[in-house]
Amino acid sequence: MLKMFFLLGISLVTFVTNAYAIPAFARQMGISCNACHSQNGFPALNRFGRSFKASGYTMVGAQKSIYDDQNGKFLSLTDTLNLSLNVKIGYVQGEDPAEAAQIQFPQALGFMIAGRVANNIGVFTEIGYESEDGNDPLFQLATLVVPVVYELPDYTLGTVFYRTSEFGAAASYDTLATGSKANGQTLEAVSVTSAQSYIVNNAGEEAAAEGIGFYIASDLWYGVYSAYVPTVGTVSGVTPAHYASLAFTPQVGNWDLGMSGQLWWGTASRDDANTSLPKIEDKTDKFALNFQAMGSVDTLPVSVFLTYAQAKQGSIFAQTPNKVKAATIMGEIAPIAHILMFSAGYRAADNGANTNSTDNAQLLAVKYFYKENVQCQFDYVFNQNSQKRNEIYFTLRAVF
């Protein structure tokens, strides 16, 4: 069975490479994927990638546009539909000793339509398949983000309408690779590399969110505020919860730095589908601190990521007897820049339980990029909690 899995993986890599695959945004800009992504490879962003996101995905490079010749201000579309496909196949041995290891083919499959809608409007849409959600529809809307931007000489102002089943309120706007949302992280073992992901994945609800956000961004910093509800779909009688973030992204020598603070607060309420029942209330009470540094020592690319997060008991992030908290550190070195990377990480955590609450873990990982958009990754997690087994993640991922 494992032999068949590896053969399927090799076939996938060969197919994608022969198709001369480039993702939607690279297609729109007519540039390499690595023009936007850091030395850690996709999905982590570099400075230019953060600027592209701040623009609401509206920058256009080599791709031509369609204009209304007589009333140009009414139409400005790219001449190609920017459709991408994200494919993952994987082998997963999770932390639960009672669950058998799985070969997942596919592990995930997402169709993404993304890019420029008009001069100041962009869109990111993903319709995805998740192998773990056997009771859900085969394909469903995973994420929809619609930014409307206004460009100033030194700043970009944005209003973002969003719905996501994966990324939480940080889907409104976030550009760091520290785990504020799952699609910004560099490794599969997210609960070890990110304190925010540990709390969401291990102690609370899934990272669903729907709301409206506002941001102001420059090369040096950005600030975000969002009103949201931690659910997706039709809701009524809504009182939102709140999310805010302030980040600084300076360049110091050859080091691209990022640091941010995040805060979730307030109680979101909404009518129950059965209106005779009381309102559904979701208390949010969490904060996080993040730091990243991507640069080089001599000529060797090196990256460091540090996170801390804490959620109070009784919130949707900590449905536990006590508060949940975690701190992580992760480092990456790339003997061959953009191609081969080695990672090591450590998590110190308290899962909020009355007993056996210490939940520390170590991580070793290796990533190999066959092409910019074709990645092979192996993660091994050593769990110190006696109720958990060690975890294994082997993933082949292609975006084209």
Side-chain angles (χ1 to χ4, degrees):
M1 189 68 177
L2 283 174
K3 182 177 180 181
M4 183 186 73
F5 169 73
F6 285 112
L7 289 174
L8 288 170
I10 293 171
S11 298
L12 172 65
V13 169
T14 304
F15 167 76
V16 172
T17 304
N18 290 343
Y20 187 62
I22 54 175
F25 293 141
R27 190 175 294 115
Q28 176 171 301
M29 293 294 294
I31 55 178
S32 163
C33 296
N34 286 336
C36 283
H37 293 289
S38 77
Q39 62 197 34
N40 307 85
F42 67 84
L45 298 174
N46 59 23
R47 295 182 69 81
F48 180 75
R50 295 196 294 269
S51 296
F52 179 79
K53 184 169 184 177
S55 77
Y57 317 121
T58 61
M59 288 184 186
V60 176
Q63 191 175 78
K64 296 180 180 179
S65 297
I66 299 171
Y67 294 96
D68 182 333
D69 293 334
Q70 295 182 341
N71 302 288
K73 66 180 181 179
F74 294 118
L75 180 65
S76 178
L77 297 173
T78 53
D79 66 353
T80 302
L81 178 65
N82 288 330
L83 175 67
S84 286
L85 181 65
N86 177 25
V87 180
K88 288 171 66 177
I89 61 176
Y91 172 86
V92 177
Q93 176 181 291
E95 64 185 29
D96 188 348
E99 294 185 358
Q102 296 181 341
I103 295 175
Q104 299 170 341
F105 186 86
Q107 185 181 72
L109 180 64
F111 296 92
M112 295 170 287
I113 300 175
R116 177 189 178 105
V117 175
N119 293 341
N120 63 329
I121 302 174
V123 67
F124 178 90
T125 304
E126 182 173 7
I127 299 172
Y129 164 87
E130 291 286 349
S131 63
E132 297 177 357
D133 299 331
N135 296 324
D136 292 334
L138 185 60
F139 285 92
Q140 56 186 323
L141 179 64
T143 298
L144 173 61
V145 179
V146 181
V148 181
V149 300
Y150 181 73
E151 299 280 355
L152 296 172
D154 298 315
Y155 300 95
T156 300
L157 304 178
T159 300
V160 184
F161 305 90
Y162 66 96
R163 165 184 169 165
T164 178
S165 60
E166 302 173 288
F167 307 140
S172 56
Y173 188 81
D174 183 77
T175 63
L176 300 188
T178 52
S180 298
K181 51 186 178 51
N183 70 337
Q185 297 172 93
T186 63
L187 294 179
E188 292 293 310
V190 295
S191 68
V192 183
T193 63
S194 166
Q196 301 95 309
S197 290
Y198 169 81
I199 289 177
V200 170
N201 291 344
N202 290 269
E205 296 187 353
E206 295 298 325
E210 186 173 293
I212 181 172
F214 307 91
Y215 68 85
I216 178 171
S218 72
D219 288 339
L220 184 61
W221 65 277
Y222 65 82
V224 187
Y225 166 76
S226 176
Y228 80 104
V229 290
T231 186
V232 294
T234 302
V235 292
S236 59
V238 171
T239 300
H242 311 278
Y243 165 79
S245 178
L246 180 63
F248 295 92
T249 54
Q251 183 82 20
V252 179
N254 70 338
W255 287 89
D256 182 9
L257 305 181
M259 57 207 79
S260 73
Q262 298 169 282
L263 183 65
W264 296 254
W265 78 97
T267 298
S269 66
R270 62 190 188 277
D271 291 338
D272 191 274
N274 184 341
T275 55
S276 65
L277 297 177
K279 281 182 175 288
I280 298 172
E281 293 190 341
D282 296 311
K283 180 182 178 182
T284 66
D285 197 334
K286 181 172 75 168
F287 75 89
L289 301 172
N290 311 278
F291 174 81
Q292 67 181 40
M294 299 180 290
S296 62
V297 176
D298 195 8
T299 59
L300 183 68
V302 175
S303 300
V304 178
F305 302 90
L306 298 94
T307 71
Y308 177 82
Q310 179 177 297
K312 287 187 177 180
Q313 65 271 32
S315 72
I316 61 171
F317 306 112
Q319 297 176 341
T320 50
N322 306 294
K323 66 183 178 183
V324 180
K325 56 185 178 180
T328 68
I329 181 170
M330 195 259 289
E332 289 196 334
I333 60 172
I336 308 176
H338 298 286
I339 296 177
L340 180 64
M341 294 155 218
F342 296 100
S343 308
Y346 178 76
R347 179 189 73 216
D350 186 318
N351 62 24
N354 284 328
T355 59
N356 201 29
S357 62
T358 300
D359 199 8
N360 301 342
Q362 295 89 35
L363 163 75
L364 293 175
V366 60
K367 291 185 295 186
Y368 171 68
F369 287 84
Y370 181 72
K371 296 291 183 183
E372 290 179 17
N373 57 318
V374 181
Q375 177 192 136
C376 176
Q377 183 178 144
F378 176 80
D379 300 10
Y380 193 91
V381 177
F382 303 86
N383 279 310
Q384 295 182 5
N385 188 302
S386 60
Q387 296 181 345
K388 296 181 177 181
R389 67 179 174 187
N390 294 339
E391 302 166 55
I392 299 173
Y393 301 88
F394 179 79
T395 303
L396 289 168
R397 178 182 180 186
V399 184
F400 58 97

